[in-house]
Amino acid sequence: MPAGEFDAKRALVTGGTKGIGQAVAARLREGGARVLTTARARPNEPVNNDLVHTDFFVAADITTAEGCAAVADSVLKRLGGVDIIVHVVGGSSAPAGGFAVLDDNEWQRALDLNLFPAVRLDRALLPAMLDQGSGVIIHITSIQRVMPLYEATIAYAAAKAALANYSKGLSKEVSPKGIRVVQVSPGWVETEAAVGLVNELAASKGTDYEGARKALMDSLGGIPIGRPAQPREVADLVAFLASPKAASITGTEYVIDGGTVPTI
C-alpha cells in the first residue's frame, strides 16, 4: 500500500461499521483519507481497534430521504466536501418462498435499502464534486444482478440490477466533468454476517461449518477458487479504483466473486 495515497482526500462510506463497509473505511483511512461513515446506530465495540469518533460518524437511517439529507449535511459540514463516495449499504431480509411471498412492502424495502440511498446521496453530494471538477463514486452492486436467487432475494437482485443501470447512466453524464463512477460487484463475501448464516445452516442440517460452507458454495454453482472472498480483498479493489492508478477507469463493473459467474 503506497504511503499517503489518499492524503487530503475526504471520503464517505455508507454501511461503514461492519463487513465490507468496515473493511473499506479502514483501508481508506490507512491510505490517509478522512473517512466519514454512517449506519443506523453507533457500534458498541471499537471498529478496527479504534473508536468511531463523533466527528467522523453519523447515525442515520439512509433508507429514508431524511436520513440521506442528514448524512449529506454532515459530509459537507464536517469534511467540507467529498472526494470519494463508496456506497456499501445494502442487503436483504426478505422471507423465503419465491415471488409469491414478496408483497409490495418487501419490494419497497429492497429498493429503499439497495437503490435509493445511492441515488439520494449522489444527488446531494455531486454538486460539490462538480464544482471542484474531480471525485470518485463507487457503487457496490452484486453478482445477483445477473445471477438472481429467486427463493428469497429476487427483489434484492432486481434492486442491485437497477443500481448497476443507474451507475452506468450516471457515469455517462458526469465522467466528462471529472467525476469517475465505477461498480464493484462481489459474490459471496465471508463477513461476520455470512459466518453467522453458515453456522445457522450447519446447525439446521446437522453438519459442521465447513460442510455448510461447501453446501452454500455449491448452491451458487460453485466458486472455482474454492472459497468466498474476504472483506479486505473487496476493500483493496475499492481502494485501487478510488486511487489515481485507476484514473482512466469509469463507467464499468469490476466483479470479485472467485469465478462464480459463468461465462455467458
Side-chain angles (χ1 to χ4, degrees):
M1 176 181 63
E5 61 185 325
F6 296 117
D7 280 355
K9 296 298 184 183
R10 303 154 299 176
L12 167 66
V13 179
T14 66
T17 60
K18 57 186 177 181
I20 294 173
Q22 177 181 329
V24 168
R27 177 63 180 79
L28 294 177
R29 288 190 186 104
E30 288 171 15
R34 288 188 294 151
V35 182
L36 188 146
T37 60
T38 181
R40 282 191 174 92
R42 181 181 302 278
N44 295 321
E45 300 296 327
V47 175
N48 294 310
N49 299 316
D50 193 13
L51 294 175
V52 179
H53 297 294
T54 302
D55 286 347
F56 296 100
F57 176 82
V58 55
D61 179 2
I62 61 172
T63 66
T64 68
E66 296 78 11
C68 288
V71 171
D73 185 63
S74 294
V75 168
L76 297 175
K77 287 182 177 177
R78 300 181 191 183
L79 298 180
V82 67
D83 303 292
I84 301 165
I85 304 173
V86 187
H87 294 288
V88 182
V89 71
S92 174
S93 58
F99 78 93
V101 303
L102 300 180
D103 60 17
D104 284 0
N105 289 331
E106 289 294 344
W107 277 94
Q108 190 63 56
R109 273 193 285 269
L111 292 168
D112 286 343
L113 181 58
N114 295 286
L115 174 64
F116 287 129
V119 171
R120 288 167 173 153
L121 285 167
D122 290 348
R123 188 169 59 214
L125 295 173
L126 261 169
M129 283 184 161
L130 291 169
D131 284 345
Q132 67 196 22
S134 65
V136 183
I137 299 173
I138 298 175
H139 298 114
I140 304 298
T141 57
S142 169
I143 63 169
Q144 282 205 47
R145 79 174 189 86
V146 294
M147 286 184 63
L149 302 177
Y150 63 84
E151 173 62 20
T153 56
I154 192 169
Y156 163 83
K160 287 297 191 182
L163 177 62
N165 185 279
Y166 158 73
S167 183
K168 179 65 175 179
L170 184 67
S171 74
K172 292 288 190 179
E173 179 178 2
V174 301
S175 293
K177 302 172 184 177
I179 317 301
R180 295 191 295 110
V181 183
V182 188
Q183 303 168 46
V184 170
S185 296
W188 180 25
V189 181
E190 203 164 24
T191 61
E192 290 181 6
V195 169
L197 172 62
V198 174
N199 282 326
E200 289 177 11
L201 290 173
S204 67
K205 301 295 185 183
T207 185
D208 60 9
Y209 183 87
E210 288 304 318
R213 189 176 187 254
K214 183 179 185 304
L216 186 52
M217 287 192 289
D218 290 344
S219 74
L220 297 171
I223 301 178
I225 65 170
R227 63 170 179 82
Q230 297 301 308
R232 177 65 186 220
E233 293 172 326
V234 181
D236 283 339
L237 174 58
V238 168
F240 164 71
L241 292 171
S243 76
K245 292 180 180 179
S248 294
I249 297 175
T250 191
T252 192
E253 174 189 35
Y254 278 73
V255 176
I256 178 166
D257 69 346
T260 304
V261 177
T263 300
I264 297 175

